[in-house]
Amino acid sequence: MTDEFYMQRALRLARRGERWVSPNPMVGAVIVKGDRIIGEGYHEQFGGPHAEINALRQAQESVQGTAIYVTLEPCSHYGKTPPCVEALIDRQPARVVIGATDPNPLVAGRGIAALRRSGIDVTLGVMEQACREMNAGFFKFITTGIPYVTLKFAQTIDGRIASVTGHSRWISSPASRTFAHRLRSTHDAILVGAGTVIADDPDLTVRHVKGRNPIRIVVDSHLRLPLGAKILQDQESARTIVATTGQAAPEKMLQLQEQGIETLLVDEFVGEADRGQVNLPKLFRELGKKQIASVLVEGGSAIITSLLKEKLADRLVIIVAPKILGRGIEAVADLGNQTMDEATRILFRKVYRRGEDIIIDAIPAN
């Protein structure tokens, strides 16, 4: 078997931790003796043993002289767990095959150097692109302190997210809504505008799949939220943060705080077109300080437009329903573009079906 074969297995294992390990990366490890897999593991939950440790524990025979495949460079520092590098060196495999170097400044090549100093052969970059893409959110957060932002919305084929009356349930199919809940479960937080809460009164929790509820974030520059909104209830199962500005009434802020809701005062945009709105770049920096490594933005139109205008989205997930609405609320409003050359270009990562709908998974190209 090839190195790519075993690294592919390690990648599949790593994915099992997707909804449980953030802000840590997903990592998988496979131990091979001859042509036999004698141990394998993955990082199962934040704060728990890392992939390499789980693989070593599963091995029922000596690891000395084996090849160990790991999707990300083994850690070399003490955090919530001891360094994985020390455990590997202690067991003396002949070779460690690494998919990608860890961008964490506390690691960043130190694990590789320690393995080589101990006489263990190290091979780097096997399926590196796949290993990096799987942890794109971790790579951005650990190097910038800013969360990885996924912009997701469902629209009709003519680009509407609601009718002229604001009615939007349901644009997408049941299969797409299950997919959307799974997407929620893979992010640390979910963000919407106050308009969405007022119009739809959503729960913003994970109900159709197994997984943890994300932190719920509402952008509300004037604190228009009704105190009886669903997202302001039951803070034990899903925490809510309301991001607002100095324009908010102090008494309303106090009422929210008395309900156990965290309020986050953020500077306003100063541009004429966006005056009075929450400054989203500053909001994301503040969320990063709270160790929120990934944010799923679910709209509405004003938030979608702001993210695209400010080039804040790292990934776009667009659910396109086979419906033509005509007049209605458009998904994306004015971006200020005057020519086609100014249009935001996107690169398709995946295009596939869920129920009746087409799902476009893409990244901005400019």
Side-chain angles (χ1 to χ4, degrees):
M1 299 294 183
T2 64
D3 285 347
E4 287 74 15
F5 175 86
Y6 294 115
M7 189 61 73
Q8 185 65 55
R9 173 61 184 167
L11 281 163
R12 288 197 297 270
L13 287 166
R15 280 286 181 197
R16 296 181 184 179
E18 185 174 32
R19 288 174 272 183
W20 308 105
V21 300
S22 183
N24 283 354
M26 294 174 278
V27 183
V30 176
I31 303 173
V32 180
K33 177 175 282 190
D35 59 358
R36 295 181 299 115
I37 294 176
I38 65 167
E40 57 184 24
Y42 65 98
H43 186 29
E44 298 178 13
Q45 61 182 13
F46 177 70
H50 290 184
E52 301 93 321
I53 303 304
N54 285 329
L56 290 170
R57 288 174 179 174
Q58 192 195 75
Q60 298 299 306
E61 54 189 284
S62 173
V63 172
Q64 188 172 2
T66 61
I68 298 181
Y69 294 80
V70 60
T71 55
L72 190 68
E73 177 184 3
C75 64
S76 55
H77 67 290
Y78 282 86
K80 289 188 175 295
T81 60
C84 293
V85 160
E86 291 184 4
L88 292 176
I89 291 172
D90 184 60
R91 303 291 283 275
Q92 280 297 298
R95 182 171 174 243
V96 175
V97 183
I98 297 170
T101 303
D102 192 333
N104 187 336
L106 296 174
V107 184
R110 291 181 175 85
I112 294 166
L115 291 169
R116 284 175 169 161
R117 282 197 303 271
S118 70
I120 297 171
D121 181 49
V122 177
T123 300
L124 291 175
V126 174
M127 299 192 69
E128 181 176 9
Q129 183 174 352
C131 292
R132 290 179 63 90
E133 285 181 357
M134 180 178 64
N135 281 307
F138 169 75
F139 273 67
K140 180 190 177 183
F141 178 68
I142 203 70
T143 55
T144 68
I146 299 171
Y148 186 86
V149 178
T150 300
L151 174 58
K152 170 255 163 186
F153 55 91
Q155 65 171 43
T156 61
I157 204 165
D158 55 339
R160 303 292 185 255
I161 60 172
S163 71
V164 289
T165 65
H167 186 265
S168 61
R169 293 189 176 181
W170 292 102
I171 291 174
S172 57
S173 67
S176 291
R177 295 199 292 275
T178 298
F179 161 80
H181 277 240
R182 188 181 190 284
L183 194 62
R184 287 179 182 179
S185 74
T186 64
H187 288 75
D188 292 343
I190 179 171
L191 183 149
V192 297
T196 296
V197 177
I198 293 168
D200 299 336
D201 196 19
D203 290 287
L204 299 183
T205 54
V206 174
R207 301 183 301 281
H208 299 320
V209 298
K210 290 182 179 180
R212 60 181 181 177
N213 287 323
I215 297 170
R216 301 173 295 191
I217 300 166
V218 185
V219 177
D220 188 358
S221 58
H222 293 80
L223 288 186
R224 297 183 295 136
L225 282 176
L227 295 176
K230 290 178 182 177
I231 61 165
L232 302 181
Q233 318 307 315
D234 190 15
Q235 294 301 295
E236 292 184 4
S237 63
R239 176 177 150 213
T240 299
I241 299 173
V242 177
T244 190
T245 69
Q247 297 194 30
E251 58 271 20
K252 185 68 172 287
M253 191 176 298
L254 182 60
Q255 287 175 308
L256 288 170
Q257 291 169 351
E258 288 174 346
Q259 284 189 211
I261 307 300
E262 180 180 353
T263 55
L264 187 59
L265 198 62
V266 182
D267 292 341
E268 306 164 26
F269 274 120
V270 295
E272 193 62 40
D274 300 309
R275 189 177 299 280
Q277 295 180 14
V278 170
N279 186 315
L280 292 177
K282 289 188 177 181
L283 171 59
F284 288 132
R285 287 197 290 273
E286 290 301 317
L287 296 178
K289 292 176 184 177
K290 294 178 179 294
Q291 294 301 297
I292 294 174
S294 59
V295 178
L296 175 66
V297 179
E298 290 199 357
S301 180
I303 294 289
I304 294 169
T305 303
S306 292
L307 254 71
L308 292 174
K309 185 184 291 186
E310 293 293 317
K311 302 186 184 303
L312 298 174
D314 299 294
R315 176 188 177 196
L316 291 88
V317 177
I318 305 169
I319 301 171
V320 183
K323 299 173 183 176
I324 298 175
L325 188 61
R327 288 183 61 223
I329 299 173
E330 55 196 1
V332 184
D334 182 22
L335 294 176
N337 297 330
Q338 301 297 313
T339 67
M340 290 302 295
D341 292 337
E342 296 174 285
T344 299
R345 292 179 53 82
I346 64 173
L347 300 176
F348 291 171
R349 297 169 70 233
K350 298 177 185 176
V351 179
Y352 51 96
R353 291 187 63 171
R354 279 288 186 277
E356 303 172 341
D357 307 325
I358 300 295
I359 296 181
I360 299 170
D361 191 334
I363 58 174
N366 59 356

